[in-house]
Amino acid sequence: MDNDISPHNFTRLFNCGAELGAIEALIKTGHLRSYLKKSEAFRLFGRKHVENWIDQGLITPRKDGDHSAAWRIDRLEIEAVAKAIDLLRYL
């Protein structure tokens, strides 16, 4: 098995890391909310993908309260999963 990473794949990997770093910085400075509502996650990443990631235990939805409280998903967690899956497709 060849363990060398092509320059294109290295650039792709580096860009994903930089994007996640930028998202984390925006969250810490208050320009992005740290959590997404479940419906927002469905809209951004696709309902099928989000539900699949929850079923596989890759992301953990959290509930604010009891009964009719909204489900929240950590933004950095779902972004990292989405980028990792995207990278696996191309590497």
Side-chain angles (χ1 to χ4, degrees):
M1 182 172 164
D2 189 14
N3 290 329
D4 292 336
I5 297 177
S6 72
H8 175 71
N9 287 340
F10 180 76
T11 301
R12 189 175 198 84
L13 184 64
F14 185 78
N15 285 340
C16 284
E19 288 173 12
L20 287 174
I23 290 169
E24 184 176 14
L26 289 170
I27 289 170
K28 286 185 178 182
T29 59
H31 288 87
L32 281 177
R33 289 178 305 150
S34 60
Y35 286 92
L36 295 172
K37 291 181 182 176
K38 201 171 179 184
S39 60
E40 290 175 313
F42 288 163
R43 185 174 36 81
L44 292 173
F45 300 100
R47 182 180 199 99
K48 181 179 174 183
H49 293 297
V50 173
E51 288 178 346
N52 189 20
W53 297 339
I54 291 170
D55 291 341
Q56 292 178 1
L58 298 175
I59 58 175
T60 307
R62 293 159 181 92
K63 200 167 186 179
D64 288 335
D66 296 331
H67 306 295
S68 64
W71 286 93
R72 298 179 305 144
I73 296 174
D74 183 273
R75 183 186 296 265
L76 201 54
E77 182 180 39
I78 196 168
E79 289 281 357
V81 168
K83 295 212 180 297
I85 290 172
D86 186 48
L87 281 172
L88 287 173
R89 286 187 190 133
Y90 294 103
L91 293 181

